[in-house]
Amino acid sequence: MKTEKLTEYLISPNHIVVEAMRKIDENAKGILFVTDEQRKLAGVVTDGDIRRWLIKTGDLNAPIYSFMNVKPYVICRKETHMAFDYMKRKQITALPVVDESGLILDIVFRENGTVEQEARKNSLSEIPVVIMAGGKGTRLYPYTKILPKPLIPIGDIPIMERIINNFREYGIQKYLITVNYRKSMIKSYFAELTKDYSIDYIEEDEPLGTAGSLKLISDPFAKPFIVTNCDILIQADYSDIYNYHLTSGNELTIVTALKNIVVPYGVVHSSENGMIEMMEEKPKLSYFVNTGMYILNPELIKDIPEKAFYHMTNLVDRLLADHRKVGMYPISEDSFLDMGEFEEMRRMEAKINLKSKSQG
Protein backbone atom coordinates (compact mmCIF):
# COMPACT_ATOMS: atom_id res chain seq x y z
CA MET A 1 0.00 0.00 0.00
CA LYS A 2 1.39 3.42 -0.96
CA THR A 3 2.19 5.85 1.84
CA GLU A 4 -0.52 8.35 0.84
CA LYS A 5 -3.09 5.54 0.87
CA LEU A 6 -1.81 4.24 4.20
CA THR A 7 -2.38 7.63 5.86
CA GLU A 8 -6.14 7.24 5.28
CA TYR A 9 -6.12 4.66 8.08
CA LEU A 10 -3.71 6.38 10.48
CA ILE A 11 -4.44 8.98 13.13
CA SER A 12 -2.59 10.73 15.95
CA PRO A 13 -3.58 9.86 19.55
CA ASN A 14 -4.29 13.54 20.22
CA HIS A 15 -6.98 13.81 17.57
CA ILE A 16 -10.46 14.11 19.03
CA VAL A 17 -13.53 11.92 18.55
CA VAL A 18 -15.16 14.14 15.91
CA GLU A 19 -12.03 14.02 13.76
CA ALA A 20 -11.77 10.25 14.11
CA MET A 21 -15.42 9.83 13.04
CA ARG A 22 -14.81 11.98 9.98
CA LYS A 23 -11.73 10.00 8.99
CA ILE A 24 -13.51 6.67 9.46
CA ASP A 25 -16.31 7.95 7.22
CA GLU A 26 -13.72 8.84 4.58
CA ASN A 27 -11.88 5.52 4.58
CA ALA A 28 -15.12 3.47 4.83
CA LYS A 29 -13.35 0.63 6.69
CA GLY A 30 -14.60 1.33 10.21
CA ILE A 31 -11.11 1.44 11.74
CA LEU A 32 -8.11 3.69 12.41
CA PHE A 33 -4.64 2.79 13.62
CA VAL A 34 -3.20 5.24 16.13
CA THR A 35 0.43 6.16 15.50
CA ASP A 36 3.06 8.74 16.38
CA GLU A 37 4.69 11.01 13.78
CA GLN A 38 7.05 8.23 12.68
CA ARG A 39 4.10 5.84 12.09
CA LYS A 40 4.92 3.77 15.17
CA LEU A 41 1.81 1.90 16.25
CA ALA A 42 0.29 2.98 19.58
CA GLY A 43 -3.24 1.58 19.38
CA VAL A 44 -6.38 1.05 17.33
CA VAL A 45 -9.82 2.66 17.30
CA THR A 46 -12.90 1.25 15.59
CA ASP A 47 -16.30 2.77 14.94
CA GLY A 48 -17.61 0.46 17.67
CA ASP A 49 -15.06 1.82 20.15
CA ILE A 50 -16.20 5.35 19.33
CA ARG A 51 -19.88 4.42 19.68
CA ARG A 52 -19.33 2.83 23.09
CA TRP A 53 -17.36 5.89 24.24
CA LEU A 54 -20.11 8.26 23.10
CA ILE A 55 -22.85 6.21 24.75
CA LYS A 56 -20.83 6.20 27.97
CA THR A 57 -19.70 9.85 28.02
CA GLY A 58 -21.25 11.83 25.15
CA ASP A 59 -17.89 13.61 24.81
CA LEU A 60 -17.16 14.48 21.17
CA ASN A 61 -14.00 16.41 22.03
CA ALA A 62 -12.09 13.74 23.94
CA PRO A 63 -8.70 12.72 22.54
CA ILE A 64 -8.83 9.20 21.18
CA TYR A 65 -5.97 8.05 23.40
CA SER A 66 -8.62 8.16 26.17
CA PHE A 67 -10.28 4.99 24.91
CA MET A 68 -8.15 3.42 22.16
CA ASN A 69 -7.19 -0.25 22.35
CA VAL A 70 -3.50 -0.17 23.23
CA LYS A 71 -2.93 -3.85 22.43
CA PRO A 72 -3.93 -4.25 18.77
CA TYR A 73 -3.25 -7.43 16.83
CA VAL A 74 -0.27 -7.09 14.47
CA ILE A 75 1.72 -9.23 12.07
CA CYS A 76 5.29 -8.93 10.82
CA ARG A 77 6.17 -8.68 7.13
CA LYS A 78 7.52 -12.22 6.77
CA GLU A 79 4.19 -13.60 8.09
CA THR A 80 1.85 -11.64 5.81
CA HIS A 81 0.96 -14.82 3.93
CA MET A 82 -0.75 -15.96 7.15
CA ALA A 83 -2.72 -12.71 7.60
CA PHE A 84 -6.14 -13.88 6.37
CA ASP A 85 -6.13 -17.04 8.47
CA TYR A 86 -5.01 -14.99 11.47
CA MET A 87 -7.80 -12.42 10.98
CA LYS A 88 -10.37 -15.18 10.62
CA ARG A 89 -9.28 -16.81 13.87
CA LYS A 90 -9.23 -13.52 15.76
CA GLN A 91 -12.47 -12.31 14.10
CA ILE A 92 -10.96 -9.01 12.98
CA THR A 93 -11.19 -7.24 9.64
CA ALA A 94 -7.89 -5.34 9.46
CA LEU A 95 -4.34 -6.22 10.44
CA PRO A 96 -1.34 -3.85 10.46
CA VAL A 97 1.97 -5.12 9.15
CA VAL A 98 4.79 -3.81 11.36
CA ASP A 99 8.59 -3.96 11.45
CA GLU A 100 10.75 -4.84 14.46
CA SER A 101 10.36 -1.36 15.99
CA GLY A 102 6.59 -1.26 15.61
CA LEU A 103 6.40 0.99 12.54
CA ILE A 104 3.41 0.31 10.32
CA LEU A 105 4.51 -0.82 6.87
CA ASP A 106 1.17 -1.89 5.44
CA ILE A 107 -2.40 -2.88 6.37
CA VAL A 108 -4.12 -6.06 5.27
CA PHE A 109 -7.92 -5.95 5.06
CA ARG A 110 -10.23 -8.90 5.17
CA GLU A 111 -13.10 -8.57 2.72
CA ASN A 112 -15.90 -9.63 5.00
CA GLY A 113 -19.03 -8.50 3.16
CA THR A 114 -20.28 -12.07 2.80
CA VAL A 115 -19.52 -12.79 6.46
CA GLU A 116 -21.49 -9.71 7.54
CA GLN A 117 -24.41 -10.60 5.31
CA GLU A 118 -24.59 -14.11 6.74
CA ALA A 119 -24.41 -12.77 10.29
CA ARG A 120 -27.27 -10.31 9.77
CA LYS A 121 -29.48 -12.73 7.81
CA ASN A 122 -32.66 -13.42 9.82
CA SER A 123 -31.19 -11.75 12.92
CA LEU A 124 -34.33 -9.57 13.27
CA SER A 125 -36.83 -11.85 11.56
CA GLU A 126 -39.43 -11.57 14.36
CA ILE A 127 -39.22 -7.78 14.73
CA PRO A 128 -41.90 -5.51 13.19
CA VAL A 129 -41.08 -2.20 11.53
CA VAL A 130 -43.44 0.78 11.45
CA ILE A 131 -42.79 3.28 8.64
CA MET A 132 -44.33 6.73 9.05
CA ALA A 133 -45.55 7.69 5.58
CA GLY A 134 -48.59 9.87 6.23
CA GLY A 135 -47.04 13.33 5.82
CA LYS A 136 -47.41 15.66 2.85
CA GLY A 137 -43.69 16.25 2.32
CA THR A 138 -44.12 20.01 1.99
CA ARG A 139 -40.36 20.62 2.02
CA LEU A 140 -40.10 18.70 -1.27
CA TYR A 141 -42.83 20.63 -3.08
CA PRO A 142 -43.45 20.61 -6.09
CA TYR A 143 -42.24 16.96 -6.30
CA THR A 144 -44.87 15.98 -3.77
CA LYS A 145 -47.58 17.70 -5.81
CA ILE A 146 -47.22 14.74 -8.19
CA LEU A 147 -45.97 11.91 -5.98
CA PRO A 148 -46.28 11.21 -2.26
CA LYS A 149 -42.91 11.52 -0.54
CA PRO A 150 -42.50 7.74 0.06
CA LEU A 151 -42.59 7.13 -3.71
CA ILE A 152 -40.08 9.79 -4.76
CA PRO A 153 -37.27 7.84 -6.42
CA ILE A 154 -33.69 7.87 -5.22
CA GLY A 155 -31.94 6.62 -8.32
CA ASP A 156 -34.49 4.27 -9.84
CA ILE A 157 -36.06 2.99 -6.59
CA PRO A 158 -38.58 4.86 -4.38
CA ILE A 159 -37.17 5.89 -1.03
CA MET A 160 -39.57 3.74 1.01
CA GLU A 161 -38.76 0.64 -1.03
CA ARG A 162 -35.07 1.29 -0.33
CA ILE A 163 -35.84 1.51 3.39
CA ILE A 164 -37.66 -1.82 3.30
CA ASN A 165 -34.84 -3.41 1.28
CA ASN A 166 -32.36 -2.40 3.99
CA PHE A 167 -34.48 -4.04 6.69
CA ARG A 168 -34.98 -7.16 4.57
CA GLU A 169 -31.24 -7.85 4.84
CA TYR A 170 -31.94 -8.66 8.50
CA GLY A 171 -34.81 -11.00 7.71
CA ILE A 172 -37.60 -8.59 8.69
CA GLN A 173 -40.88 -9.68 7.11
CA LYS A 174 -43.58 -7.57 8.79
CA TYR A 175 -44.07 -3.89 7.93
CA LEU A 176 -46.77 -1.51 9.11
CA ILE A 177 -47.06 1.69 7.11
CA THR A 178 -48.99 4.72 8.34
CA VAL A 179 -50.64 6.48 5.41
CA ASN A 180 -52.80 9.54 4.81
CA TYR A 181 -51.71 11.84 1.97
CA ARG A 182 -52.10 10.12 -1.45
CA LYS A 183 -52.41 6.79 0.30
CA SER A 184 -54.00 5.05 -2.68
CA MET A 185 -50.87 5.67 -4.77
CA ILE A 186 -48.65 4.16 -2.09
CA LYS A 187 -50.87 1.12 -1.69
CA SER A 188 -51.13 0.59 -5.45
CA TYR A 189 -47.37 0.73 -5.94
CA PHE A 190 -46.60 -1.90 -3.32
CA ALA A 191 -49.55 -4.06 -4.38
CA GLU A 192 -47.96 -4.45 -7.81
CA LEU A 193 -44.54 -5.46 -6.46
CA THR A 194 -43.45 -9.06 -6.23
CA LYS A 195 -42.33 -9.23 -2.61
CA ASP A 196 -41.45 -11.73 0.09
CA TYR A 197 -42.74 -9.62 3.00
CA SER A 198 -46.11 -8.42 4.29
CA ILE A 199 -47.42 -4.86 4.55
CA ASP A 200 -50.32 -3.73 6.73
CA TYR A 201 -51.55 -0.17 6.36
CA ILE A 202 -52.49 2.07 9.26
CA GLU A 203 -54.86 4.60 7.73
CA GLU A 204 -55.21 8.00 9.35
CA ASP A 205 -58.46 9.88 8.77
CA GLU A 206 -56.60 13.00 9.82
CA PRO A 207 -52.90 13.62 10.51
CA LEU A 208 -51.88 12.25 13.91
CA GLY A 209 -48.15 12.99 13.95
CA THR A 210 -45.21 10.61 14.07
CA ALA A 211 -46.43 8.91 17.27
CA GLY A 212 -50.19 9.46 17.28
CA SER A 213 -50.80 6.93 14.53
CA LEU A 214 -49.19 4.17 16.62
CA LYS A 215 -52.35 4.25 18.73
CA LEU A 216 -54.25 2.89 15.70
CA ILE A 217 -52.30 -0.39 15.68
CA SER A 218 -54.88 -3.04 16.50
CA ASP A 219 -52.61 -6.02 17.10
CA PRO A 220 -50.32 -5.24 20.07
CA PHE A 221 -46.61 -5.98 19.78
CA ALA A 222 -44.98 -8.54 22.04
CA LYS A 223 -41.44 -7.23 21.56
CA PRO A 224 -39.72 -3.87 21.12
CA PHE A 225 -40.35 -2.59 17.61
CA ILE A 226 -38.68 -0.26 15.15
CA VAL A 227 -40.19 3.03 13.97
CA THR A 228 -38.69 5.03 11.12
CA ASN A 229 -39.57 8.04 9.04
CA CYS A 230 -40.17 7.33 5.35
CA ASP A 231 -37.57 9.80 4.05
CA ILE A 232 -34.33 8.63 5.68
CA LEU A 233 -31.74 5.94 5.10
CA ILE A 234 -29.64 4.71 8.01
CA GLN A 235 -26.49 2.88 6.97
CA ALA A 236 -25.69 1.01 10.16
CA ASP A 237 -26.00 -2.42 11.73
CA TYR A 238 -29.71 -2.65 12.59
CA SER A 239 -29.13 -5.82 14.58
CA ASP A 240 -26.57 -4.03 16.77
CA ILE A 241 -28.96 -1.09 17.24
CA TYR A 242 -31.76 -3.41 18.33
CA ASN A 243 -29.54 -5.45 20.65
CA TYR A 244 -28.21 -2.26 22.22
CA HIS A 245 -31.79 -1.24 23.03
CA LEU A 246 -32.47 -4.61 24.66
CA THR A 247 -29.33 -4.60 26.82
CA SER A 248 -29.43 -0.90 27.76
CA GLY A 249 -32.73 -1.05 29.62
CA ASN A 250 -34.02 1.92 27.60
CA GLU A 251 -37.75 2.27 27.13
CA LEU A 252 -37.04 4.22 23.96
CA THR A 253 -33.83 4.48 21.96
CA ILE A 254 -33.23 7.22 19.38
CA VAL A 255 -30.76 6.63 16.57
CA THR A 256 -28.73 9.84 16.46
CA ALA A 257 -26.23 11.05 13.89
CA LEU A 258 -23.31 13.41 14.21
CA LYS A 259 -23.93 16.72 12.46
CA ASN A 260 -21.07 19.12 11.81
CA ILE A 261 -22.02 22.72 11.10
CA VAL A 262 -19.44 25.23 9.89
CA VAL A 263 -20.18 28.89 10.69
CA PRO A 264 -19.21 30.62 7.41
CA TYR A 265 -17.82 33.74 9.14
CA GLY A 266 -15.15 34.78 11.56
CA VAL A 267 -16.74 34.58 15.01
CA VAL A 268 -15.99 37.29 17.55
CA HIS A 269 -15.70 36.35 21.23
CA SER A 270 -16.19 39.36 23.48
CA SER A 271 -16.13 40.21 27.18
CA GLU A 272 -17.61 43.03 29.23
CA ASN A 273 -17.77 46.56 27.84
CA GLY A 274 -17.59 45.30 24.27
CA MET A 275 -13.93 44.27 24.50
CA ILE A 276 -12.88 41.59 22.01
CA GLU A 277 -11.07 38.66 23.58
CA MET A 278 -10.39 36.66 20.42
CA MET A 279 -11.58 35.91 16.91
CA GLU A 280 -12.24 32.42 15.59
CA GLU A 281 -12.28 31.86 11.84
CA LYS A 282 -15.17 29.68 10.58
CA PRO A 283 -15.58 27.51 13.68
CA LYS A 284 -17.12 24.06 13.41
CA LEU A 285 -19.95 23.07 15.73
CA SER A 286 -20.76 19.41 16.31
CA TYR A 287 -24.05 18.00 17.59
CA PHE A 288 -26.00 14.78 17.61
CA VAL A 289 -29.29 15.06 15.73
CA ASN A 290 -32.41 12.92 15.78
CA THR A 291 -32.41 10.82 12.59
CA GLY A 292 -36.07 9.79 12.82
CA MET A 293 -35.40 6.13 13.62
CA TYR A 294 -36.42 4.72 17.00
CA ILE A 295 -36.72 1.48 18.98
CA LEU A 296 -39.73 1.45 21.32
CA ASN A 297 -40.87 -0.91 24.02
CA PRO A 298 -44.44 -2.00 23.18
CA GLU A 299 -45.82 -0.70 26.50
CA LEU A 300 -45.12 2.88 25.36
CA ILE A 301 -48.16 2.84 23.09
CA LYS A 302 -50.24 3.20 26.27
CA ASP A 303 -48.55 6.57 26.88
CA ILE A 304 -49.78 7.99 23.56
CA PRO A 305 -53.11 9.86 23.80
CA GLU A 306 -56.13 8.69 21.79
CA LYS A 307 -57.02 10.51 18.56
CA ALA A 308 -54.53 13.32 19.20
CA PHE A 309 -51.81 14.87 17.07
CA TYR A 310 -48.72 13.60 18.85
CA HIS A 311 -45.14 13.53 17.62
CA MET A 312 -42.44 11.12 18.72
CA THR A 313 -40.67 14.11 20.29
CA ASN A 314 -43.75 14.69 22.46
CA LEU A 315 -43.46 11.11 23.69
CA VAL A 316 -39.76 11.60 24.41
CA ASP A 317 -40.49 14.79 26.35
CA ARG A 318 -43.10 12.97 28.42
CA LEU A 319 -40.75 10.12 29.26
CA LEU A 320 -37.95 12.52 30.22
CA ALA A 321 -40.31 14.53 32.41
CA ASP A 322 -41.21 11.30 34.22
CA HIS A 323 -37.50 10.41 34.58
CA ARG A 324 -37.89 7.31 32.44
CA LYS A 325 -34.99 5.91 30.47
CA VAL A 326 -34.46 7.29 26.96
CA GLY A 327 -31.14 6.57 25.27
CA MET A 328 -29.33 7.17 22.02
CA TYR A 329 -27.44 5.00 19.57
CA PRO A 330 -24.91 7.28 17.81
CA ILE A 331 -23.86 6.87 14.18
CA SER A 332 -21.55 8.96 12.02
CA GLU A 333 -22.63 11.87 9.86
CA ASP A 334 -22.07 9.94 6.66
CA SER A 335 -24.24 7.03 7.86
CA PHE A 336 -27.39 9.20 7.90
CA LEU A 337 -29.04 10.17 4.63
CA ASP A 338 -32.08 12.42 4.72
CA MET A 339 -34.38 13.14 1.80
CA GLY A 340 -36.34 15.85 3.60
CA GLU A 341 -34.86 18.74 1.60
CA PHE A 342 -33.56 19.12 -1.97
CA GLU A 343 -29.90 19.54 -1.03
CA GLU A 344 -30.00 16.45 1.20
CA MET A 345 -31.87 14.50 -1.47
CA ARG A 346 -29.09 15.20 -3.97
CA ARG A 347 -26.53 14.08 -1.38
CA MET A 348 -28.48 10.86 -0.87
CA GLU A 349 -28.57 10.19 -4.62
CA ALA A 350 -24.82 10.84 -4.92
CA LYS A 351 -24.02 8.59 -1.96
CA ILE A 352 -26.12 5.70 -3.28
CA ASN A 353 -24.69 6.11 -6.79
CA LEU A 354 -21.12 6.05 -5.47
CA LYS A 355 -21.89 2.95 -3.40
CA SER A 356 -23.42 1.09 -6.34
CA LYS A 357 -20.40 1.94 -8.54
CA SER A 358 -17.99 0.62 -5.91
CA GLN A 359 -19.94 -2.66 -5.77
CA GLY A 360 -20.11 -3.00 -9.54
Side-chain angles (χ1 to χ4, degrees), residues 99-153:
D99 67 10
E100 295 80 3
S101 62
L103 298 182
I104 292 186
L105 306 174
D106 200 355
I107 302 171
V108 181
F109 292 101
R110 177 185 174 197
E111 296 301 329
N112 66 330
T114 302
V115 175
E116 289 178 348
Q117 289 169 5
E118 285 299 316
R120 68 177 56 160
K121 188 177 180 181
N122 296 324
S123 61
L124 297 177
S125 58
E126 302 298 319
I127 309 305
V129 171
V130 180
I131 302 175
M132 298 295 179
K136 291 185 176 181
T138 52
R139 291 183 299 167
L140 290 176
Y141 187 87
Y143 282 18
T144 47
K145 185 177 181 180
I146 302 167
L147 286 174
K149 182 168 59 174
L151 296 187
I152 291 179

Side-chain angles (χ1 to χ4, degrees), residues 1-236:
M1 185 183 294
K2 292 183 178 180
T3 301
E4 58 268 25
K5 183 69 175 176
L6 189 62
T7 56
E8 295 179 12
Y9 308 102
L10 307 182
I11 193 167
S12 160
N14 293 314
H15 277 75
I16 62 175
V17 173
V18 172
E19 295 165 334
M21 293 180 76
R22 175 187 56 78
K23 197 158 189 177
I24 281 179
D25 268 346
E26 290 172 354
N27 73 35
K29 291 293 187 181
I31 195 167
L32 291 169
F33 293 98
V34 186
T35 66
D36 62 17
E37 294 179 357
Q38 285 73 42
R39 294 215 312 265
K40 186 173 182 178
L41 184 63
V44 63
V45 171
T46 67
D47 51 1
D49 293 329
I50 292 172
R51 183 174 301 111
R52 286 184 288 272
W53 171 261
L54 290 173
I55 289 171
K56 180 181 177 181
T57 69
D59 188 356
L60 284 165
N61 295 305
I64 60 175
Y65 67 73
S66 304
F67 59 92
M68 68 183 185
N69 176 3
V70 296
K71 295 182 178 180
Y73 295 112
V74 300
I75 198 166
C76 62
R77 174 177 283 175
K78 64 182 180 181
E79 295 176 337
T80 52
H81 63 284
M82 302 165 55
F84 293 103
D85 287 338
Y86 188 72
M87 286 189 285
K88 188 175 181 180
R89 288 200 315 273
K90 299 297 184 181
Q91 296 185 322
I92 57 176
T93 59
L95 190 62
V97 180
V98 299
D99 67 10
E100 295 80 3
S101 62
L103 298 182
I104 292 186
L105 306 174
D106 200 355
I107 302 171
V108 181
F109 292 101
R110 177 185 174 197
E111 296 301 329
N112 66 330
T114 302
V115 175
E116 289 178 348
Q117 289 169 5
E118 285 299 316
R120 68 177 56 160
K121 188 177 180 181
N122 296 324
S123 61
L124 297 177
S125 58
E126 302 298 319
I127 309 305
V129 171
V130 180
I131 302 175
M132 298 295 179
K136 291 185 176 181
T138 52
R139 291 183 299 167
L140 290 176
Y141 187 87
Y143 282 18
T144 47
K145 185 177 181 180
I146 302 167
L147 286 174
K149 182 168 59 174
L151 296 187
I152 291 179
I154 301 299
D156 56 353
I157 300 175
I159 176 63
M160 193 159 72
E161 188 178 356
R162 286 192 180 275
I163 291 171
I164 291 173
N165 288 343
N166 281 354
F167 283 116
R168 285 172 62 209
E169 293 183 16
Y170 296 81
I172 295 177
Q173 299 291 316
K174 183 176 176 60
Y175 300 88
L176 296 91
I177 300 178
T178 66
V179 291
N180 184 312
Y181 179 69
R182 295 188 181 273
K183 61 186 178 184
S184 60
M185 293 182 69
I186 297 171
K187 294 167 74 173
S188 295
Y189 177 83
F190 283 95
E192 293 175 3
L193 283 183
T194 301
K195 52 189 182 291
D196 59 356
Y197 54 88
S198 67
I199 292 179
D200 293 322
Y201 293 96
I202 305 168
E203 299 193 29
E204 299 175 334
D205 294 328
E206 57 185 33
L208 293 174
T210 52
S213 56
L214 296 178
K215 203 72 174 180
L216 300 178
I217 297 173
S218 57
D219 188 13
F221 298 129
K223 299 179 179 180
F225 60 101
I226 299 169
V227 176
T228 181
N229 292 349
C230 71
D231 56 359
I232 63 166
L233 287 176
I234 302 296
Q235 298 179 325

